[in-house]
Amino acid sequence: MTSYTLHQLSQLIDHTNLKPDATPKSMAILCEEAKHYQFKMVAINQVQSKLCAKLLKQTPVDIGAAIAFPLGQVTKEVKCFETKNAIENGATEIDYVINITELKAGNLAYIEDEMLKIVTICRQHNVVSKVIFENCYLTNDEKIALCKIASKVKPDFIKTSTGFGPSGATLEDVALMKKHVDPSVKVKAAGGIRDAETFKKMIAAGAQRIGTSAGVKIIDQLKQELLDTGKDTIEID
């Protein structure tokens, strides 16, 4: 059992707006909510990096750019350029989608080389790297193979989903990833996490970061839980 303050729980959230029709006003709202609720990061499409970096200047909130999102079906060279461009525009975290086609073809050397290239760029710029598996399309053996590659390359996080596939994070996948990846690599759960109970279950399963567009709702629910119990912390088993 681990006790968390409300602030510690807020710091586990990547506050997300990856909608294709997101406007500058949408980004302004997202960034204001992130500042107010003290979320760890705003998760945005790569093209929004410069705007959000400007809106969040001189705040502790990180800017997380989604790369090759949501399909992952571009070349390594394009992913690397997109990563560098996002960082140049102010991104401080990178979430990229693996090439699922190459994984399905059994080309693990390609997957490792792609991961190494992107993670190296992130390390060179002191930027957090996250590798999106998109588990809804993968077998357990493929997920484990990705965990083994990540254990070798050591990105900062491996991540369950984009939220754009037919299903998102599951407790089983979080537990599987946590079990098979090197302990130095953290697990991020994303996709379909919309309430405090699911949020807590994902953390209990081993997630150390949560991507969600429902962060405000989740923290408000947790705040109410603290008021109802009269406690200062929330315990998660």
Side-chain angles (χ1 to χ4, degrees), residues 24-209:
K25 183 178 179 181
S26 303
M27 291 296 104
I29 292 169
L30 185 79
C31 291
E32 280 302 315
E33 289 172 343
K35 287 189 286 186
H36 178 75
Y37 282 83
Q38 299 181 318
F39 294 132
K40 177 61 178 171
M41 183 190 91
V42 291
I44 52 168
N45 282 306
Q46 194 265 17
V47 72
Q48 307 285 5
S49 300
K50 184 177 286 187
L51 173 60
C52 289
K54 181 180 178 181
L55 292 168
L56 291 167
K57 189 177 181 181
Q58 296 181 329
T59 78
V61 182
D62 285 317
I63 295 92
I67 303 299
F69 196 86
L71 302 178
Q73 299 303 297
V74 297
T75 64
K76 288 181 276 190
E77 291 78 11
V78 171
K79 289 182 184 179
C80 288
F81 174 81
E82 222 183 315
T83 298
K84 291 175 184 176
N85 185 252
I87 294 169
E88 287 168 3
N89 284 324
T92 52
E93 300 199 5
I94 294 292
D95 294 39
Y96 89 91
V97 187
I98 67 153
N99 190 315
I100 299 167
T101 298
E102 294 294 341
L103 177 64
K104 289 291 182 183
N107 195 350
L108 299 183
Y110 182 101
I111 298 297
E112 181 175 335
D113 185 59
E114 177 183 79
M115 193 183 299
L116 183 60
K117 280 180 165 62
I118 295 172
V119 170
T120 297
I121 293 167
C122 291
R123 283 190 189 130
Q124 288 170 344
H125 293 87
N126 197 28
V127 164
V128 171
S129 56
K130 306 194 197 88
V131 181
I132 305 174
F133 287 13
E134 196 67 302
N135 284 333
C136 57
Y137 297 119
L138 308 183
T139 66
N140 280 349
D141 284 345
E142 288 165 341
K143 297 167 196 173
I144 292 169
L146 286 172
C147 286
K148 288 180 179 177
I149 293 171
S151 295
K152 183 177 178 181
V153 176
K154 290 187 170 55
D156 294 292
F157 287 85
I158 54 174
K159 177 177 168 182
T160 61
S161 325
T162 64
F164 281 74
S167 63
T170 67
L171 297 173
E172 293 77 15
D173 276 345
V174 170
L176 180 79
M177 293 162 75
K178 186 71 174 175
K179 178 181 178 181
H180 289 281
V181 79
D182 186 273
S184 66
V185 181
K186 299 175 184 178
V187 176
K188 175 178 172 179
I193 303 166
R194 299 190 179 94
D195 58 64
E197 283 307 307
T198 306
F199 174 81
K200 290 191 288 184
K201 287 176 182 177
M202 291 292 173
I203 295 169
Q208 292 163 283
R209 192 82 73 87

